[in-house]
Amino acid sequence: GFVPLYQTWESFYSWYVYRRIQDCFCRPVSGVPGAKMVVIDRESNDHRWSFQYTGGHSTVLNFGSYNYLGFSQNSGPCAEEVEQTIKNYGVSVCGSRQELGYLDLHKQMDRLVADYLGVEDAYTVPMGFATNSMNIPSLVGKGCLILSDELNHASLILGCRLSGAKIKTFKHNCMKDLEKNLREAIVDKQPRTHRPWKKILIVVEGVYSMEGSIVKLPEVLRLKKKYKAYLYLDEAHSIGAIGPHGKGVVDYFGLNPRDVDIMMGTFTKSFGAVGGYIGGSQALVNHLRLYSHSAIYSSSMAPGVAQQIVSSMNIMLGRDGTREGEKRIQQLKWNTRYFRRRLQEMGFILYGNKDSPVVPLLMFMPSKIAKFSRESLNRGMGVVVVGFPATPMTKCRARFCLSASHTKEMLDEALQITSDIGDLLAIKYSKAEPPSYSENDVPLVEDS
Amino acid sequence: MVFNRVKNFISYWYLQYLLATSVYMLEPIERRIFNCFLIIVLAMFMYTSYVFLPDHARMIVYFINSYILQPEIVDGV
C-alpha cells in the first residue's frame, strides 16, 4: 500500500504535548546572541496554535547559544577583518569548489585548519550538517561496516544511512560493547556471503551535545589499532572548547592527532562562523577534494565566513600577538568547573564529564521543563529545554551552554535564578556526595 | 500572616500536583474537567470506605482470631 500520511504517535505527541508547551521552543531573538541576547516577546490567545508579538523585547542572559569561546560578537578584530574581506571579495563565491569557487582565502583557511589540528591537510565544507551527511558516503560504501555510538547526531546517522554500508550501534561510550561488536564483526564477517568486510569504521563524537559526556578516546584508539579499524571523530562540540590549548578532545587526552584517521568538526560552536572541516592524511583530503558531494555540487564557503574562521583561528593560535586565545580557553574552563561545582552542591542531577561546557540538568517530566523555561525567561535567563524527540520521553532536561564571555557575576545570577526555580519545582533530586573538583586549579590569564 | 502562609503552602502543593500529573500542560477547560473528575472519584472512595471499612476490618480480625484459637485441620482425619 501507500506510506501512511498520518503517523499515530508522532502526530499525537506534536498536537497534544508539543503544541501545548510550544512557547518554550524556537523563541525569536534579535541581534547578536552573545553573553546576553534580546528575546522578542510573544503571547498566544488560542492555546499556542498561533502567536502574536506584544511589541516588547527582553534582554536575558544567554545560556542557549553555542558560543563556547565567545566569538559571537559584532565588534572587535574579527568583525573588522570580515568587513574588509567582504569589500574585497564580495558576499558570495557563486561557484562550487571544483569550478571557480576556490579562492586564495579558502587555501589559507584549509592550511590554517590543518595547522590548528596538527594533521597533514584539511578540507572545509560550507555547511556543518552536510560535512557529515555528504562526506561519509564518499568514504564508505556497500560491503563496509559502520559501528556508531547509539547517541550520535542526526547528521552522522543520515550520512551512515546514505552510504549504503551496514550499521551497528553500540551502547553509549561503552568500550566493552564496542570490543564485542568488533570481534563479532571480524569473526562473522558479512551477513550472507561471509566475505570479510572491506572496511570497518568506528564513528564517535568528541563531546555529546545532549549528555555532555566526553568519549573515552584512549580506549577507542587502542581498540582501533588492535582490530585494524578506522576512526571517524566528530568534534563538533569539543574543538576549541576542550583541551589545554583548545585543540579538542585529542588535545584533552594528550594523544597524537595523526592516530585519528578522520577528524571532523564544525566552526559553528566555537569560532562564531558556519561550516565544517575534515582533517586527516594528505591521501584522504586529496580523495575528498575529488569525490566529495560538496566539492562538486554545493557552492563553497562565503568569503566573509572564511575570513571569520581565519581571524578567530589566528587569535586562538596566538598568531595575532596577544594572549586573547589563551585567556578565552582558561576563562571557559574556569566557568565550566565553577558552574558545575555550584550546581552539584545545590543538589541538581547533572549529566556529563566535569570538563564539558555543555551542562544538562535533568528534570524528567515535560511539564517541569515547560515551567522551568517560562519561569527562567521571566526572571531574566534564557535556557534551552529539550524534550521528546531529542531525548527519551522520561529524561527531559534543560541544557546550559557555557561560554568564555560569561563573567562570574552572570554565572552567579544564573545560579541564583536556577536555585530559586529548583526550590519552586522540587527538582533538587540529587543525593550524591558534594563534588571533589573545583575551579581553583584553573589559572586565569589576567589582562595585561 | 497565617493566612498568607496557608495560601503559600496550598499553592506550592497544588503546583506540585499539576506538574507531577502533567495537568499543567492542559488548557483551562480540560484542567477543570480533570479536577472535577478526580474530586468525584476521591469522594466516592471516601464514602465507600466510610460505609464498608469498619465491618470489613471486624471480619478480618474475627477470621484471624479463629485461626489462632483453633487451628484448621488440613489433611482430613
Side-chain angles (χ1 to χ4, degrees), chain A residues 105-135:
Chain A
L105 197 51
H106 294 115
K107 192 163 170 185
Q108 185 190 7
M109 179 175 60
D110 285 350
R111 190 68 255 150
L112 196 53
V113 171
D115 285 339
Y116 189 86
L117 297 171
V119 290
E120 285 175 17
D121 205 353
Y123 164 67
T124 52
V125 178
M127 184 176 161
F129 191 99
T131 320
N132 277 329
S133 57
M134 297 297 150
N135 286 315

Side-chain angles (χ1 to χ4, degrees), chain A residues 20-176:
Chain A
R20 287 161 196 267
I21 50 176
Q22 208 176 345
D23 62 317
C24 305
F25 304 114
C26 303
R27 292 191 179 123
V29 298
S30 78
V32 173
K36 288 193 189 235
M37 65 180 167
V38 178
V39 177
I40 305 178
D41 298 331
R42 50 186 188 158
E43 63 179 6
S44 172
N45 295 327
D46 52 359
H47 307 295
R48 293 167 194 105
W49 284 105
S50 68
F51 290 95
Q52 282 80 41
Y53 293 129
T54 58
H57 295 66
S58 10
T59 310
V60 296
L61 291 173
N62 186 4
F63 282 91
S65 322
Y66 297 131
N67 184 16
Y68 299 133
L69 292 170
F71 278 113
S72 172
Q73 307 157 309
N74 57 358
S75 58
C78 289
E80 285 159 23
E81 288 178 23
V82 168
E83 209 183 310
Q84 193 56 44
T85 308
I86 294 181
K87 287 190 179 133
N88 291 341
Y89 288 93
V91 179
S92 169
V93 266
C94 308
S96 66
R97 194 72 176 238
Q98 285 184 0
E99 46 173 77
L100 299 181
Y102 191 46
L103 307 171
D104 56 344
L105 197 51
H106 294 115
K107 192 163 170 185
Q108 185 190 7
M109 179 175 60
D110 285 350
R111 190 68 255 150
L112 196 53
V113 171
D115 285 339
Y116 189 86
L117 297 171
V119 290
E120 285 175 17
D121 205 353
Y123 164 67
T124 52
V125 178
M127 184 176 161
F129 191 99
T131 320
N132 277 329
S133 57
M134 297 297 150
N135 286 315
I136 294 183
S138 64
L139 297 170
V140 288
K142 239 172 100 122
C144 305
L145 176 67
I146 298 182
L147 288 166
S148 78
D149 195 293
E150 66 181 353
L151 295 173
N152 270 341
H153 189 251
S155 57
L156 286 165
I157 299 177
L158 184 61
C160 295
R161 285 189 189 162
L162 278 175
S163 66
K166 174 121 175 63
I167 311 175
K168 279 212 186 107
T169 57
F170 60 93
K171 292 206 194 68
H172 176 61
N173 233 355
C174 178
M175 295 299 122
K176 279 211 197 77

Side-chain angles (χ1 to χ4, degrees), chain A residues 111 113-122 217 221 224-225 229-233 235 247 250-251 254-263 279-284:
Chain A
R111 190 68 255 150
V113 171
D115 285 339
Y116 189 86
L117 297 171
V119 290
E120 285 175 17
D121 205 353
L217 197 60
L221 281 179
K224 177 193 95 98
K225 286 185 184 142
Y230 295 102
L231 179 60
Y232 186 103
L233 182 65
E235 291 205 272
K247 299 201 176 164
V250 172
D251 193 29
L255 300 167
N256 185 2
R258 309 268 162 137
D259 281 340
V260 179
D261 302 299
I262 308 160
M263 284 178 84
S281 62
Q282 190 68 52
L284 170 76

Side-chain angles (χ1 to χ4, degrees), chain A residues 19-21 47 365 367 371 374 423-426, chain B residues 12 15-16 19-20 22 24-28 30:
Chain A
R19 188 259 310 166
R20 287 161 196 267
I21 50 176
H47 307 295
M365 277 182 254
S367 46
K371 184 78 179 162
R374 288 172 193 156
D423 286 329
L424 181 66
L425 261 61
Chain B
Y12 174 74
L15 178 67
Q16 298 306 315
L19 288 174
S22 290
Y24 177 76
M25 296 195 289
L26 297 180
E27 297 169 18
E30 291 166 357

